[in-house]
Amino acid sequence: TERLRVARQVKPGEVVMVMFAGVGPYAFMIAKIQPLVEKIIAIELNPYAYKYMVENVKLNKVEDKVVPVLGDVKVVAKRWYGQCDRVVMPLPKGAYRFLDEAFQCLKERGGVIHFYFWAREEDLFSDAIEHVWGYAWKYRRLIKVLDKRKVLPYAPGVYKVCIDFRAENIY
């Protein structure tokens, strides 16, 4: 459901980066739901998951759309700084440490980031939004929260949440 929700938001011609792509479930859902996507950059650190993602690209016949990348997001994302319309960050534990790369990958005019986070029930979205605002300030971006949702429970009183937001250039 969550992958489908994100994929339905992708517009024709977009360049999408999926960080922490695993074997590619977000990338393949996007390619299936929005066949007019320009490119999906799918970055994965685990060599075994990457190997299966490469195989899945062939099996799903999306070689012209999905670009599998083996490496650490902190290192390899630099190749796409300023080139993405949308960044998906589906790793809730520690994704905030990669917001630098996410903001820098967006095109100069801005774009959308889907940011996942583990949150306690008592302050469900506040910590996640605080992280986002900090980086928005750093990169001089105006933020508009498009959606915030509880995705699924993780532990008693702890949830995986998603903040979808548009980051636009202030100037």
Side-chain angles (χ1 to χ4, degrees):
T1 303
E2 184 62 13
R3 293 178 201 135
L4 183 59
R5 184 189 72 79
V6 170
R8 285 181 171 151
Q9 295 178 47
V10 176
K11 310 265 186 303
E14 281 191 3
V15 174
V16 179
M17 175 176 286
V18 179
M19 298 178 168
F20 334 114
V23 297
Y26 275 88
F28 300 123
M29 183 64 76
I30 292 167
K32 178 182 176 182
I33 297 301
Q34 182 47 267
L36 298 178
V37 66
E38 184 177 320
K39 179 174 27 178
I40 305 159
I41 302 126
I43 302 174
E44 178 51 46
L45 178 62
N46 180 318
Y48 297 106
Y50 170 78
K51 176 184 165 238
Y52 288 112
M53 178 173 32
V54 169
E55 193 174 315
N56 285 333
V57 165
K58 291 174 189 159
L59 291 170
N60 287 281
K61 298 177 173 67
V62 289
E63 297 94 339
D64 60 328
K65 299 290 179 194
V66 178
V67 179
V69 179
L70 175 62
D72 184 340
V73 168
K74 289 263 183 214
V75 176
V76 299
K78 291 177 175 82
R79 289 189 247 166
W80 292 278
Y81 280 5
Q83 297 180 42
C84 298
D85 298 288
R86 183 177 305 270
V87 177
V88 183
M89 305 177 73
L91 176 74
K93 185 176 183 187
Y96 65 89
R97 288 182 267 145
F98 298 87
L99 280 165
D100 260 323
E101 289 72 26
F103 272 86
Q104 290 181 85
C105 284
L106 293 178
K107 290 182 176 176
E108 188 176 332
R109 72 175 183 275
V112 174
I113 296 177
H114 303 275
F115 173 59
Y116 292 82
F117 192 76
W118 291 135
R120 291 181 315 276
E121 193 160 26
E122 56 272 10
D123 53 10
L124 203 53
F125 301 107
S126 58
D127 286 349
I129 290 174
E130 250 182 72
H131 283 295
V132 168
W133 279 110
Y135 284 93
W137 177 258
K138 179 178 180 179
Y139 290 103
R140 305 181 79 150
R141 299 284 187 151
L142 204 55
I143 295 299
K144 179 182 180 193
V145 174
L146 305 171
D147 192 14
K148 51 187 181 183
R149 57 188 294 120
K150 232 192 259 189
V151 178
L152 39 89
Y154 172 67
V158 179
Y159 293 88
K160 178 180 183 177
V161 298
C162 181
I163 309 289
D164 297 337
F165 63 94
R166 176 170 294 288
E168 294 178 350
N169 202 332
I170 288 177
Y171 304 107

